[in-house]
Amino acid sequence: MTDFSATRALFDLPPGLVYLDGNSLGPLPKAAPVRMERAMREEWGGMLIGGWNKAGWMAQPRALGDRIGRLIGAEPGQVVVGDTLSIKVFQALASAVEMRPDRRVILSDTGNFPSDLYMAEGLIGMLGKGHELRLVEPEAVEDAITDEIAAILITEVDYRTGRRHDMAPLTAKAHAMGALAIWDLAHSAGALPVEVAGGGADFACGCTYKYLNAGPGAPAFIYVAPRHAGRAVPALSGWLGHHAPFAFETSYRAGDGVNRMRVGTPPVLAMAALDAALDIWDGVDMAALRQESLRLTDRLIAGVEAACPDLTLATPREHERRGSQVSFRHPEGYAAMQALIARGVVGDFRAPDILRFGITPLYVGAAEIDHAVEVIAEVMDRRLYDDAGYRTRAAVT
Amino acid sequence: MTDFSATRALFDLPPGLVYLDGNSLGPLPKAAPVRMERAMREEWGGMLIGGWNKAGWMAQPRALGDRIGRLIGAEPGQVVVGDTLSIKVFQALASAVEMRPDRRVILSDTGNFPSDLYMAEGLIGMLGKGHELRLVEPEAVEDAITDEIAAILITEVDYRTGRRHDMAPLTAKAHAMGALAIWDLAHSAGALPVEVAGGGADFACGCTYKYLNAGPGAPAFIYVAPRHAGRAVPALSGWLGHHAPFAFETSYRAGDGVNRMRVGTPPVLAMAALDAALDIWDGVDMAALRQESLRLTDRLIAGVEAACPDLTLATPREHERRGSQVSFRHPEGYAAMQALIARGVVGDFRAPDILRFGITPLYVGAAEIDHAVEVIAEVMDRRLYDDAGYRTRAAVT
């Protein structure tokens, strides 16, 4: 059983703040600046070029991938870290499309994170073979999986509503129709138990700066099912995905298994922060985390629904149909969120009308939820969002 | 005039070490851990999600790009930072090929860094239109630029020999033949004055962990000539290259100018180290740096040639034909380099027989060169490389 008051002490959070935006950027693990200082002074400064071997930099994308693998139901050797989620989505999709040369439809849904859709568009444009990116409503995905589909590209948990797709049956349907399944775990990894192998996923990708708390712009990861890893075409075929990078051959030969999904020189400093962030996860039981997440999300939903009749729940009520965030709709959502942030309750806003609250048991407990409910109720009840100062939109929300 | 003893004091180098491998990984700027600590504790820890605006994270890829731009002859707004060099090469090449739809040949040379060639292979495989990656010897590039060529993909300074291609005439020939020119500046940026605009380059890319000293796996950069920036297709079309990323539209619209070459969430922590590293460059006159680099490389060549008849110079002797490294060939090059490293003279080895020494006036002076020559002479004269301990190859050299 995980002791969440113990994990909470491992984060450096500004006093008095209720941080409900860990689904966008997780907070600073106390060990991260210490680990980073070591990576910079002892490893980079002290070992210089020797750090690639002596400090294990070159092996880290695999080692860190294995640690993430435990959280998403993958075996060691099936996950590798690097690049950004958009890049990893591109590699997964390019590989999948190459494996279904006679099909021309990529299926996704309107709730998918836009970057996944943009990367698919970019790939389709480059291929120039008349592929179609077919978008349906999230509820319509299952029925839309037909034998036209080359691959489904689905984000398990919707970034706006927190709605959760059911990985195993959707993947099974895809396979029954001869399609491949790519899962984006941006809002799943560290948010709830994920079973990429058990769910049959062909490819899965995610980022590490949300629930995994590895810092702004932390690297992404990719899982390739072992049945594909030996023949998947990495598309972005960089030297560190080569079978023998330091032979400096002039022709590409794909590396073993998921290793081929590595591209360029790995981001050593960012990986140091990720390393420290994952230390916290090593002690976490994912089933216990999920139980606590559901208890807290239920508490937030009940509290807000009792106190704020103007807020409409956008997140499914059923446990199995949601991730670890709670979203409400309100026409003045942007200004309302600014008013909340000004009062120390930090969630975020997603256009056109969504107030998002990420629930992260590692550092958020019932007391914070109750305080958040009080502040939300005050802001909504007294229409504090009417203050003109909350209506000016920043460049980045 | 740049005072190189002053820049030297800005680096944290292990005492007694002669570090001649800054062409692979630059050393630690003393300000980098301080800047990183601030980015982690004050920005990430203190501002949390607010750091994207308040700490300027979202704007950094452009701001840092502008600072690099000054070093490579670009105007503000023409360079953006992100991803790895392999990814940026891919974007440049995919854009260029898209702009020459009737041509099927990409021209490069056998001295190009393999990852550039691998990325080209990956792109060609994806396009499936019968493109050819044509490799010629470095000396044969100019004659090989014909009206078949869609784009030339050339690394200005050869990673093994230090041989320098002449950007302006090769680019002019490419343009005369209707081809586009992509320049990889991995061994140029911070090594010598570069003029991407003056040289007519259509695209240019580089990394920041070599001569720019931004740390292991630091992000890459890309330059797009302003005449192309408004219509170049970024190929890897991620959300931060979108015209309005935070509108979360379901269709991609390319951002303004070079902004469209951004892909995913930027690597904030790595950019903090880059920011600190570029502070040093702000005070450097590139012409003075080049003068000092040539003085030091001449001194190393003269010293080694006088003392080590067994070492064969692999770098062109003419100033205008080389970058800022000196390479020698020797059949026992690997073991010889291990023997040098064991004696505190750090260069590196590139298969099959190259000993590389990067010359970086920011922190290497005449005294270090003279000491390096003495140690090289001792190792070669006494055949210290015969020690079996130097013959075992590490996984990474």
Side-chain angles (χ1 to χ4, degrees), chain A residues 17 19 21 24 26-28 41 44 48-49 53 114-115 118-119 121-122 126-127 159 209 213 215-217 237-239 242 248-249 251-252 265-266 268 350 396, chain B residues 17 19 21 24 26-28 33 44 48-49 53 114-115 118-119 121-122 126-127 159 209 215-217 237-239 242 246 248-249 251-252 265-266 268 350 396:
Chain A
L17 198 74
Y19 191 62
D21 210 4
S24 188
L28 177 67
R41 293 195 192 273
W44 175 15
L48 293 155
I49 190 68
N53 281 319
S115 204
Y118 304 159
M119 296 305 287
E121 278 189 68
M126 231 187 313
L127 294 176
Y159 75 107
Y209 49 76
N213 314 307
S237 45
W239 71 305
H242 192 280
F248 299 105
E249 299 168 3
S251 278
Y252 186 74
T265 303
V268 172
R350 284 294 175 261
V396 182
Chain B
L17 199 73
Y19 191 62
D21 210 3
S24 187
L28 177 68
W44 174 16
L48 291 156
I49 191 69
N53 282 320
S115 203
Y118 304 160
M119 295 306 286
E121 278 188 70
M126 233 187 312
L127 294 175
Y159 75 107
Y209 48 77
S237 45
W239 72 304
H242 192 280
F246 290 89
F248 298 107
E249 299 168 3
S251 276
Y252 185 75
T265 303
V268 172
R350 285 293 175 261
V396 182

Coordinates of all heavy atoms in Angstrom, one line a residue, chain A residues 17 19 21 24 26-28 41 44 48-49 53 114-115 118-119 121-122 126-127 159 209 213 215-217 237-239 242 248-249 251-252 265-266 268 350 396, chain B residues 17 19 21 24 26-28 33 44 48-49 53 114-115 118-119 121-122 126-127 159 209 215-217 237-239 242 246 248-249 251-252 265-266 268 350 396:
Chain A
L17 N -0.6 26.6 -1.9 CA -1.1 26.4 -3.3 C -1.8 25.0 -3.4 O -1.3 24.0 -2.9 CB 0.0 26.5 -4.3 CG -0.4 26.7 -5.7 CD1 -0.7 28.2 -5.9 CD2 0.8 26.4 -6.6
Y19 N -2.5 22.6 -6.1 CA -2.0 22.5 -7.5 C -2.8 21.3 -8.2 O -2.5 20.1 -7.9 CB -0.5 22.2 -7.5 CG 0.0 22.3 -9.0 CD1 0.0 23.5 -9.7 CD2 0.6 21.2 -9.6 CE1 0.5 23.6 -11.0 CE2 1.1 21.3 -10.9 CZ 1.0 22.5 -11.6 OH 1.5 22.6 -12.8
D21 N -3.0 21.0 -11.6 CA -2.6 21.0 -13.0 C -1.4 20.1 -13.3 O -0.7 20.3 -14.2 CB -2.3 22.5 -13.4 CG -2.6 22.8 -14.8 OD1 -3.1 21.9 -15.5 OD2 -2.3 23.9 -15.3
S24 N -1.0 18.8 -16.7 CA -0.3 19.6 -17.7 C 1.2 19.6 -17.4 O 2.0 19.4 -18.3 CB -0.9 21.0 -17.7 OG -0.4 21.7 -18.8
G26 N 3.7 18.4 -14.1 CA 3.8 17.9 -12.7 C 4.8 18.8 -12.0 O 5.6 19.6 -12.6
P27 N 4.7 18.9 -10.6 CA 5.6 19.7 -9.8 C 7.0 19.2 -9.7 O 7.3 18.1 -10.1 CB 4.9 19.7 -8.5 CG 4.2 18.4 -8.4 CD 3.8 18.0 -9.8
L28 N 7.8 19.9 -9.0 CA 9.3 19.6 -8.9 C 9.5 18.6 -7.8 O 9.2 18.8 -6.6 CB 10.0 20.9 -8.5 CG 11.5 20.8 -8.2 CD1 12.3 20.5 -9.5 CD2 12.0 22.1 -7.6
R41 N 27.6 18.8 -12.8 CA 28.9 19.0 -12.2 C 29.8 17.8 -12.3 O 30.9 17.8 -12.8 CB 28.9 19.6 -10.8 CG 28.2 21.0 -10.7 CD 28.5 21.6 -9.4 NE 27.7 22.8 -9.2 CZ 28.1 24.1 -9.6 NH1 29.3 24.2 -10.2 NH2 27.3 25.1 -9.5
W44 N 28.8 15.8 -16.5 CA 29.2 16.6 -17.7 C 30.5 17.4 -17.3 O 31.5 17.3 -18.1 CB 28.1 17.6 -18.0 CG 28.4 18.7 -19.0 CD1 29.4 18.7 -19.9 CD2 27.7 19.9 -19.3 NE1 29.4 19.8 -20.7 CE2 28.3 20.5 -20.4 CE3 26.5 20.4 -18.7 CZ2 27.8 21.7 -20.9 CZ3 26.0 21.6 -19.2 CH2 26.7 22.3 -20.3
L48 N 33.2 14.9 -18.7 CA 33.2 15.4 -20.1 C 32.7 14.3 -21.1 O 31.7 13.7 -20.8 CB 34.6 16.0 -20.5 CG 34.9 17.3 -19.7 CD1 36.4 17.5 -19.5 CD2 34.3 18.5 -20.3
I49 N 33.4 14.2 -22.2 CA 32.9 13.2 -23.2 C 32.8 11.8 -22.6 O 32.0 11.0 -23.1 CB 33.9 13.2 -24.4 CG1 33.3 12.4 -25.6 CG2 35.3 12.8 -24.1 CD1 32.1 13.0 -26.2
N53 N 30.0 6.9 -21.5 CA 30.1 5.5 -21.0 C 30.1 5.5 -19.5 O 29.3 4.8 -18.9 CB 31.5 4.9 -21.4 CG 31.4 4.4 -22.8 OD1 30.4 3.8 -23.2 ND2 32.5 4.7 -23.6
P114 N -4.7 17.7 -30.5 CA -4.4 18.1 -31.9 C -3.1 17.8 -32.4 O -3.0 17.5 -33.6 CB -4.6 19.6 -31.8 CG -5.6 19.8 -30.7 CD -5.3 18.7 -29.7
S115 N -2.0 17.8 -31.6 CA -0.7 17.5 -32.2 C -0.7 16.1 -32.9 O 0.0 15.9 -33.9 CB 0.4 17.6 -31.2 OG 1.6 17.9 -31.8
Y118 N -2.2 16.6 -36.2 CA -1.3 17.4 -37.1 C -0.2 16.5 -37.6 O 0.2 16.6 -38.8 CB -0.7 18.6 -36.3 CG -1.7 19.5 -35.7 CD1 -1.3 20.4 -34.7 CD2 -3.0 19.6 -36.1 CE1 -2.1 21.3 -34.1 CE2 -3.9 20.5 -35.5 CZ -3.4 21.4 -34.5 OH -4.3 22.3 -34.0
M119 N 0.4 15.7 -36.7 CA 1.5 14.8 -37.1 C 1.0 13.8 -38.2 O 1.7 13.5 -39.1 CB 2.1 14.1 -35.9 CG 2.8 14.9 -34.9 SD 4.1 16.1 -35.5 CE 5.4 15.0 -35.9
E121 N -1.5 14.4 -40.2 CA -1.7 15.2 -41.5 C -0.3 15.3 -42.2 O -0.3 15.2 -43.4 CB -2.2 16.6 -41.1 CG -3.7 16.7 -40.9 CD -4.1 18.1 -40.8 OE1 -4.0 18.9 -41.8 OE2 -4.5 18.6 -39.7
G122 N 0.7 15.6 -41.4 CA 2.0 15.8 -42.0 C 2.5 14.6 -42.7 O 3.1 14.6 -43.8
M126 N 3.2 13.9 -46.7 CA 4.5 13.4 -47.2 C 4.3 12.2 -48.1 O 5.0 12.0 -49.1 CB 5.4 13.2 -46.0 CG 6.7 13.8 -46.2 SD 7.8 13.3 -44.9 CE 6.8 13.5 -43.4
L127 N 3.5 11.3 -47.6 CA 3.3 10.0 -48.3 C 2.7 10.2 -49.7 O 3.1 9.6 -50.6 CB 2.4 9.0 -47.5 CG 2.9 8.6 -46.1 CD1 1.9 7.7 -45.4 CD2 4.2 7.7 -46.4
Y159 N -7.9 14.8 -23.4 CA -7.2 15.9 -22.6 C -8.2 17.0 -22.1 O -7.8 17.7 -21.2 CB -6.1 16.6 -23.5 CG -6.6 17.5 -24.6 CD1 -6.5 18.9 -24.5 CD2 -7.2 17.0 -25.7 CE1 -6.9 19.7 -25.5 CE2 -7.7 17.8 -26.7 CZ -7.5 19.2 -26.6 OH -8.0 20.0 -27.6
Y209 N 6.2 14.7 -18.7 CA 6.1 16.0 -17.9 C 4.8 16.2 -17.2 O 4.6 17.2 -16.5 CB 6.5 17.2 -18.8 CG 5.8 17.3 -20.1 CD1 4.5 17.7 -20.2 CD2 6.5 17.0 -21.3 CE1 3.9 17.8 -21.4 CE2 5.9 17.1 -22.5 CZ 4.6 17.5 -22.6 OH 4.0 17.6 -23.8
N213 N 6.0 13.8 -13.8 CA 6.7 14.9 -13.0 C 8.1 15.1 -13.4 O 9.0 15.4 -12.5 CB 6.6 14.6 -11.5 CG 5.2 14.2 -11.1 OD1 4.2 15.0 -11.3 ND2 5.0 13.1 -10.4
G215 N 9.4 17.3 -15.4 CA 9.8 18.7 -15.8 C 9.4 19.2 -17.1 O 9.1 18.4 -18.0
P216 N 9.3 20.5 -17.3 CA 8.8 21.1 -18.5 C 9.6 20.7 -19.8 O 10.8 20.9 -19.8 CB 8.9 22.6 -18.3 CG 9.9 22.8 -17.2 CD 9.8 21.5 -16.3
G217 N 8.9 20.1 -20.7 CA 9.6 19.7 -22.0 C 10.4 18.4 -21.8 O 11.2 18.1 -22.6
S237 N 14.9 7.6 -39.0 CA 16.0 6.6 -38.8 C 17.3 7.3 -38.5 O 18.2 7.4 -39.4 CB 16.1 5.7 -40.0 OG 16.1 6.4 -41.2
G238 N 17.4 7.7 -37.3 CA 18.7 8.4 -36.8 C 19.8 7.4 -36.4 O 19.5 6.3 -36.2
W239 N 20.9 8.0 -36.2 CA 22.1 7.2 -35.9 C 22.0 6.4 -34.7 O 22.5 5.3 -34.6 CB 23.4 8.0 -36.0 CG 23.6 9.0 -34.8 CD1 22.8 9.9 -34.4 CD2 24.8 9.0 -34.0 NE1 23.4 10.6 -33.3 CE2 24.7 10.1 -33.1 CE3 26.0 8.3 -34.0 CZ2 25.6 10.4 -32.1 CZ3 27.0 8.6 -33.0 CH2 26.8 9.7 -32.1
H242 N 20.5 3.1 -35.1 CA 21.2 2.2 -36.0 C 21.7 0.9 -35.2 O 22.0 1.0 -34.0 CB 22.4 2.9 -36.6 CG 23.1 2.3 -37.7 ND1 24.0 1.3 -37.5 CD2 23.1 2.5 -39.1 CE1 24.5 0.9 -38.7 NE2 23.9 1.6 -39.7
F248 N 29.7 4.0 -37.8 CA 29.6 5.1 -38.7 C 29.5 4.6 -40.2 O 30.2 5.1 -41.0 CB 30.8 6.1 -38.6 CG 30.8 6.7 -37.2 CD1 31.8 6.3 -36.2 CD2 29.9 7.7 -36.9 CE1 31.8 6.9 -35.0 CE2 29.9 8.3 -35.6 CZ 30.9 7.9 -34.7
E249 N 28.7 3.6 -40.4 CA 28.4 3.1 -41.7 C 27.6 4.2 -42.5 O 26.9 5.0 -41.9 CB 27.6 1.8 -41.7 CG 28.4 0.7 -40.9 CD 27.5 -0.5 -40.6 OE1 26.3 -0.5 -41.0 OE2 28.0 -1.4 -39.9
S251 N 25.2 3.4 -44.6 CA 23.8 2.9 -44.8 C 23.2 2.5 -43.5 O 23.8 2.0 -42.6 CB 23.7 1.7 -45.7 OG 23.8 2.2 -47.1
Y252 N 21.9 2.8 -43.4 CA 21.1 2.5 -42.2 C 20.8 1.0 -42.1 O 20.4 0.4 -43.0 CB 19.8 3.3 -42.2 CG 19.0 3.1 -40.9 CD1 19.5 3.8 -39.7 CD2 17.9 2.3 -40.8 CE1 18.8 3.7 -38.5 CE2 17.2 2.2 -39.6 CZ 17.6 2.9 -38.5 OH 16.9 2.8 -37.3
T265 N 21.0 12.2 -30.7 CA 21.7 12.1 -29.4 C 20.7 12.4 -28.2 O 19.9 13.3 -28.3 CB 22.8 13.2 -29.4 OG1 23.6 13.0 -30.6 CG2 23.6 13.2 -28.2
P266 N 20.7 11.5 -27.2 CA 19.7 11.6 -26.2 C 19.9 12.9 -25.3 O 21.0 13.3 -25.1 CB 19.8 10.3 -25.4 CG 21.2 9.8 -25.7 CD 21.6 10.3 -27.0
V268 N 20.5 14.3 -22.3 CA 21.1 13.8 -21.0 C 20.6 14.6 -19.8 O 20.2 14.0 -18.8 CB 22.6 13.8 -21.1 CG1 23.2 13.5 -19.7 CG2 23.1 12.8 -22.2
R350 N -9.3 24.9 -21.1 CA -9.1 24.5 -22.5 C -10.3 25.0 -23.3 O -11.5 24.7 -22.9 CB -9.0 23.0 -22.6 CG -7.6 22.4 -22.2 CD -6.5 22.9 -23.2 NE -5.2 22.5 -22.7 CZ -4.3 23.3 -22.1 NH1 -4.7 24.5 -21.8 NH2 -3.1 22.9 -21.8
V396 N -0.4 32.3 -23.7 CA -0.5 30.8 -23.4 C -1.4 30.6 -22.3 O -1.3 31.3 -21.2 CB 0.9 30.3 -23.1 CG1 0.8 28.8 -22.8 CG2 1.9 30.6 -24.2
Chain B
L17 N 43.8 18.8 -17.1 CA 43.3 18.1 -18.3 C 43.5 19.1 -19.6 O 43.2 20.2 -19.5 CB 41.8 17.8 -18.2 CG 41.2 16.7 -19.1 CD1 41.7 15.4 -18.6 CD2 39.7 16.8 -19.0
Y19 N 41.7 19.4 -22.8 CA 40.5 18.9 -23.4 C 40.4 19.4 -24.8 O 40.1 20.5 -25.1 CB 39.3 19.4 -22.6 CG 38.0 18.7 -23.0 CD1 37.9 17.4 -22.8 CD2 36.9 19.4 -23.5 CE1 36.7 16.7 -23.2 CE2 35.8 18.8 -23.9 CZ 35.6 17.4 -23.7 OH 34.5 16.7 -24.1
D21 N 38.3 17.8 -27.1 CA 37.2 17.1 -27.6 C 35.9 17.9 -27.6 O 34.8 17.4 -27.5 CB 37.0 15.8 -26.8 CG 36.3 14.7 -27.7 OD1 36.1 15.0 -28.9 OD2 36.1 13.6 -27.2
S24 N 33.1 17.3 -29.9 CA 32.2 16.3 -29.7 C 31.2 16.7 -28.5 O 30.0 16.6 -28.7 CB 32.9 15.0 -29.3 OG 32.0 13.9 -29.2
G26 N 31.2 20.0 -25.7 CA 31.8 21.2 -25.1 C 31.8 21.0 -23.5 O 31.0 20.3 -23.0
P27 N 32.7 21.7 -22.8 CA 32.7 21.6 -21.4 C 31.7 22.4 -20.7 O 30.9 23.2 -21.3 CB 34.1 22.1 -21.0 CG 34.4 23.1 -22.1 CD 33.7 22.6 -23.3
L28 N 31.6 22.3 -19.4 CA 30.6 22.9 -18.6 C 30.9 24.4 -18.4 O 31.8 24.8 -17.7 CB 30.5 22.2 -17.2 CG 29.6 22.8 -16.1 CD1 28.1 22.5 -16.5 CD2 29.8 22.1 -14.8
P33 N 25.1 25.5 -14.3 CA 24.4 24.9 -13.2 C 23.6 25.9 -12.4 O 22.6 25.6 -11.8 CB 25.5 24.2 -12.3 CG 26.7 24.1 -13.2 CD 26.6 25.2 -14.2
W44 N 10.3 26.2 -12.6 CA 9.5 25.0 -12.6 C 8.9 24.9 -11.2 O 7.7 24.8 -11.0 CB 10.3 23.8 -12.9 CG 9.7 22.4 -12.8 CD1 8.3 22.2 -12.6 CD2 10.3 21.2 -12.8 NE1 8.1 20.8 -12.5 CE2 9.3 20.2 -12.6 CE3 11.7 20.7 -12.9 CZ2 9.6 18.8 -12.6 CZ3 12.0 19.4 -12.8 CH2 11.0 18.4 -12.7
L48 N 5.5 26.7 -11.6 CA 4.7 25.5 -12.1 C 4.2 25.8 -13.5 O 5.0 26.3 -14.3 CB 3.6 25.2 -11.1 CG 4.1 24.6 -9.8 CD1 3.1 24.8 -8.6 CD2 4.5 23.2 -9.9
I49 N 3.0 25.5 -13.8 CA 2.5 25.7 -15.2 C 2.6 27.1 -15.6 O 2.8 27.4 -16.8 CB 1.0 25.2 -15.3 CG1 0.6 25.1 -16.7 CG2 0.1 26.1 -14.4 CD1 1.2 24.0 -17.5
N53 N 4.4 31.1 -19.4 CA 4.4 32.6 -19.7 C 5.4 33.4 -18.9 O 6.2 34.1 -19.4 CB 3.0 33.1 -19.5 CG 2.0 32.8 -20.6 OD1 2.4 32.8 -21.7 ND2 0.8 32.4 -20.2
P114 N 26.9 10.2 -40.6 CA 26.0 9.1 -41.1 C 24.5 9.4 -40.7 O 23.6 9.0 -41.5 CB 26.5 7.9 -40.3 CG 28.0 8.1 -40.2 CD 28.1 9.6 -40.0
S115 N 24.3 10.1 -39.6 CA 22.8 10.2 -39.2 C 22.1 11.1 -40.3 O 20.9 10.8 -40.6 CB 22.7 10.9 -37.9 OG 21.4 10.6 -37.3
Y118 N 21.3 8.6 -42.9 CA 20.2 7.7 -42.4 C 18.8 8.4 -42.5 O 17.8 7.7 -42.8 CB 20.5 7.2 -41.0 CG 21.8 6.5 -40.8 CD1 22.3 6.4 -39.5 CD2 22.6 5.9 -41.8 CE1 23.5 5.8 -39.2 CE2 23.8 5.3 -41.5 CZ 24.2 5.3 -40.2 OH 25.4 4.6 -40.0
M119 N 18.8 9.6 -42.1 CA 17.5 10.3 -42.1 C 17.0 10.5 -43.5 O 15.8 10.4 -43.8 CB 17.6 11.7 -41.4 CG 18.0 11.7 -39.9 SD 16.9 10.7 -38.8 CE 15.4 11.7 -38.8
E121 N 17.7 8.4 -45.9 CA 17.2 7.1 -46.3 C 15.8 6.8 -45.8 O 14.9 6.3 -46.5 CB 18.1 6.0 -45.7 CG 19.4 5.7 -46.5 CD 20.1 4.5 -45.9 OE1 19.6 3.3 -46.0 OE2 21.1 4.7 -45.3
G122 N 15.6 7.2 -44.6 CA 14.3 7.0 -43.9 C 13.2 7.8 -44.7 O 12.1 7.3 -45.0
M126 N 10.0 6.4 -46.9 CA 8.6 6.8 -46.6 C 8.0 7.3 -47.9 O 6.8 7.1 -48.1 CB 8.7 7.8 -45.6 CG 7.7 7.5 -44.4 SD 7.6 8.8 -43.2 CE 9.3 9.2 -43.0
L127 N 8.7 8.1 -48.6 CA 8.1 8.8 -49.8 C 7.8 7.7 -50.9 O 6.7 7.8 -51.5 CB 9.1 9.8 -50.4 CG 9.4 11.0 -49.6 CD1 10.5 11.9 -50.2 CD2 8.1 11.8 -49.3
Y159 N 33.2 15.6 -40.1 CA 33.4 15.2 -38.7 C 34.7 14.4 -38.5 O 35.2 14.4 -37.3 CB 32.2 14.4 -38.2 CG 32.0 13.0 -38.6 CD1 32.3 11.9 -37.8 CD2 31.7 12.7 -39.9 CE1 32.2 10.6 -38.2 CE2 31.6 11.4 -40.4 CZ 31.8 10.4 -39.5 OH 31.7 9.1 -39.9
Y209 N 25.7 21.1 -28.7 CA 26.5 20.5 -27.6 C 27.9 20.4 -27.9 O 28.7 19.9 -27.1 CB 25.9 19.1 -27.2 CG 25.6 18.2 -28.3 CD1 26.6 17.5 -29.0 CD2 24.3 18.0 -28.7 CE1 26.3 16.6 -30.0 CE2 24.0 17.1 -29.8 CZ 25.0 16.4 -30.4 OH 24.7 15.6 -31.4
G215 N 25.8 21.4 -23.4 CA 25.6 20.2 -22.6 C 25.2 19.0 -23.4 O 24.7 19.1 -24.5
P216 N 25.4 17.8 -22.8 CA 25.1 16.5 -23.6 C 23.7 16.4 -24.0 O 22.8 16.5 -23.2 CB 25.5 15.4 -22.5 CG 25.5 16.1 -21.2 CD 25.9 17.5 -21.4
G217 N 23.5 16.2 -25.3 CA 22.1 16.1 -25.8 C 21.3 17.4 -25.9 O 20.1 17.4 -26.0
S237 N 4.8 18.1 -38.5 CA 3.9 19.3 -38.2 C 3.3 19.1 -36.8 O 2.1 18.8 -36.7 CB 2.9 19.4 -39.3 OG 2.3 18.1 -39.6
G238 N 4.0 19.5 -35.8 CA 3.6 19.4 -34.5 C 2.8 20.6 -34.0 O 2.8 21.7 -34.7
W239 N 2.2 20.5 -32.9 CA 1.3 21.6 -32.4 C 2.0 22.9 -32.2 O 1.4 24.0 -32.4 CB 0.5 21.1 -31.2 CG 1.2 21.0 -29.9 CD1 2.3 20.3 -29.6 CD2 0.8 21.7 -28.6 NE1 2.7 20.5 -28.3 CE2 1.8 21.3 -27.7 CE3 -0.2 22.5 -28.3 CZ2 1.7 21.7 -26.3 CZ3 -0.3 22.9 -26.9 CH2 0.7 22.5 -26.0
H242 N 2.1 25.1 -35.2 CA 0.8 25.5 -35.7 C 0.7 27.0 -35.5 O 1.3 27.6 -34.7 CB -0.3 24.8 -34.8 CG -1.7 24.9 -35.4 ND1 -2.5 26.0 -35.2 CD2 -2.4 24.0 -36.1 CE1 -3.6 25.8 -35.8 NE2 -3.6 24.6 -36.3
F246 N -2.7 27.1 -29.2 CA -3.7 27.0 -28.1 C -5.1 27.2 -28.5 O -6.0 27.3 -27.7 CB -3.2 28.0 -27.0 CG -2.0 27.4 -26.3 CD1 -0.7 27.8 -26.8 CD2 -2.1 26.5 -25.3 CE1 0.4 27.2 -26.3 CE2 -0.9 26.0 -24.8 CZ 0.3 26.3 -25.2
F248 N -6.2 24.8 -30.3 CA -6.5 23.4 -30.4 C -7.5 23.0 -31.5 O -8.5 22.3 -31.3 CB -7.1 23.0 -29.0 CG -6.1 23.1 -27.9 CD1 -6.3 24.2 -26.9 CD2 -5.0 22.3 -27.7 CE1 -5.4 24.3 -25.9 CE2 -4.1 22.5 -26.7 CZ -4.3 23.5 -25.8
E249 N -7.2 23.6 -32.7 CA -8.0 23.2 -33.9 C -7.6 21.7 -34.3 O -6.6 21.2 -33.9 CB -7.6 24.1 -35.0 CG -7.9 25.6 -34.7 CD -7.3 26.6 -35.7 OE1 -6.7 26.1 -36.7 OE2 -7.5 27.8 -35.5
S251 N -7.3 20.8 -37.4 CA -6.5 20.8 -38.6 C -5.3 21.7 -38.5 O -5.3 22.7 -37.9 CB -7.3 21.3 -39.8 OG -8.1 20.2 -40.3
Y252 N -4.2 21.2 -39.2 CA -2.9 22.0 -39.1 C -3.0 23.2 -40.0 O -3.4 23.1 -41.2 CB -1.8 21.0 -39.5 CG -0.4 21.7 -39.3 CD1 0.1 21.8 -38.0 CD2 0.3 22.1 -40.4 CE1 1.4 22.4 -37.9 CE2 1.6 22.7 -40.2 CZ 2.1 22.8 -39.0 OH 3.3 23.4 -38.8
T265 N 6.5 20.0 -27.5 CA 6.8 20.9 -26.3 C 8.3 21.1 -26.2 O 9.0 20.1 -26.2 CB 6.2 20.2 -25.1 OG1 4.8 20.0 -25.3 CG2 6.3 21.0 -23.8
P266 N 8.7 22.3 -26.1 CA 10.2 22.6 -26.1 C 10.9 22.1 -24.8 O 10.3 22.1 -23.7 CB 10.3 24.1 -26.2 CG 9.0 24.6 -25.8 CD 7.9 23.6 -26.0
V268 N 12.6 22.6 -21.9 CA 12.8 23.8 -21.1 C 14.1 23.7 -20.3 O 14.9 24.7 -20.3 CB 11.7 24.1 -20.1 CG1 12.0 25.2 -19.2 CG2 10.4 24.5 -21.0
R350 N 37.8 8.2 -34.4 CA 36.8 7.8 -35.3 C 37.3 6.8 -36.3 O 38.3 6.9 -36.9 CB 36.3 9.0 -36.1 CG 35.4 10.0 -35.3 CD 34.1 9.4 -34.9 NE 33.3 10.2 -34.0 CZ 33.2 10.0 -32.7 NH1 33.9 9.1 -32.1 NH2 32.4 10.8 -32.0
V396 N 31.2 2.6 -26.4 CA 31.1 3.9 -27.1 C 32.5 4.5 -27.1 O 33.1 4.5 -26.0 CB 30.2 4.9 -26.3 CG1 30.1 6.2 -27.0 CG2 28.8 4.2 -26.1

